Amino acid sequence: MIRRAFTAGLLAFGTLAALPASAQQLSLGAISQYLNSLKTAQGSFTQINGDGTISTGTIAIKRPGKVRFDYNPPERALVLASAGAVYILDRKLNAQPETYPLNQTPLSIILDRNVNLAKAGMVKSHSYDGTATVVTAQDPKRPEYGTIQLKFTANPVELRQWIITDGDGNQTTVVLGGLTKANLPNSLFYIEPELKKLR
């Protein structure tokens, strides 16, 4: 379930709290600056899978290049991005993880060392839906790997959700429950300790 949903892509979520009427569309420069300032953070997430099922868990981000999704029971899955790879581990099966290059997933856009949404060909759409700024982006060098739609609220700028659409059009929604700054060790993003737990 998690393996299929994650490789299909990461999708969007529920209703955001209404913003003041004075709220405006965020510029691509402001969003890029926010993402580049987001060095380490953690929080909860809700994932809406392509088949309509819902998963929950916790997320830890350490830019550049690292993210960890720990799924709550009954899934007990782990999705880990580190050292240029994405690992998808089903703890219930005690099997070796599936591994994919991070740069072949749209998630690499926000985990990049230097996010620049103004780069030619990166942003497919940039709009304001009345409550939040919505940006749909792709890797201009690898458009075949799909897109990521990001939703940001303002005052202060905050990433609230993303929708990843893979090259086949499959979608997965991830809703963030609010990210908070945290001191996260690099070891949190190592796959080997997780594999040792299965032996």
Side-chain angles (χ1 to χ4, degrees):
M1 174 77 69
I2 296 301
R3 180 176 290 111
R4 186 172 63 251
F6 197 90
T7 55
L10 295 168
L11 179 69
F13 59 106
T15 304
L16 295 172
L19 294 177
S22 61
Q24 299 291 322
Q25 177 173 307
L26 295 166
S27 69
L28 294 179
I31 293 172
S32 297
Q33 182 178 8
Y34 162 77
L35 290 172
N36 286 322
S37 70
L38 188 66
K39 299 302 184 185
T40 59
Q42 63 184 6
S44 62
F45 73 89
T46 299
Q47 178 172 305
I48 304 170
N49 304 308
D51 61 1
T53 58
I54 296 176
S55 307
T56 61
T58 57
I59 182 174
I61 299 172
K62 188 168 187 177
R63 299 184 56 262
K66 301 180 184 69
V67 67
R68 177 181 176 127
F69 298 85
D70 278 291
Y71 289 80
N72 294 330
E75 283 90 358
R76 294 184 58 246
L78 171 68
V79 176
L80 192 67
S82 183
V86 176
Y87 303 92
I88 301 173
L89 179 64
D90 189 336
R91 295 181 173 112
K92 291 188 296 185
L93 297 179
N94 285 358
Q96 289 296 305
E98 292 187 11
T99 308
Y100 304 89
L102 177 59
N103 64 10
Q104 292 183 11
T105 72
L107 197 59
S108 64
I109 293 171
I110 61 173
L111 294 178
D112 198 6
R113 181 174 299 278
N114 181 26
V115 178
N116 179 11
L117 294 175
K119 186 184 299 182
M122 178 166 282
V123 171
K124 296 186 65 179
S125 66
H126 177 208
S127 62
Y128 182 69
D129 67 4
T131 60
T133 299
V134 182
V135 174
T136 301
Q138 65 182 10
D139 184 340
K141 296 180 180 178
R142 305 175 183 89
E144 67 274 16
Y145 293 132
T147 64
I148 183 167
Q149 183 188 85
L150 304 161
K151 184 168 282 193
F152 300 87
T153 53
N155 303 316
V157 180
E158 186 173 6
L159 175 61
R160 294 301 193 98
Q161 74 174 44
W162 63 66
I163 303 172
I164 289 185
T165 304
D166 72 6
D168 295 324
N170 301 305
Q171 293 184 321
T172 307
T173 303
V174 168
V175 184
L176 299 174
L179 296 173
T180 57
K181 291 183 179 180
N183 185 17
L184 304 174
N186 286 332
S187 58
L188 184 65
F189 304 93
Y190 295 162
I191 189 62
E192 188 60 31
E194 300 300 329
L195 297 179
K196 287 182 178 179
K197 294 175 185 178
L198 304 179
R199 292 169 187 162

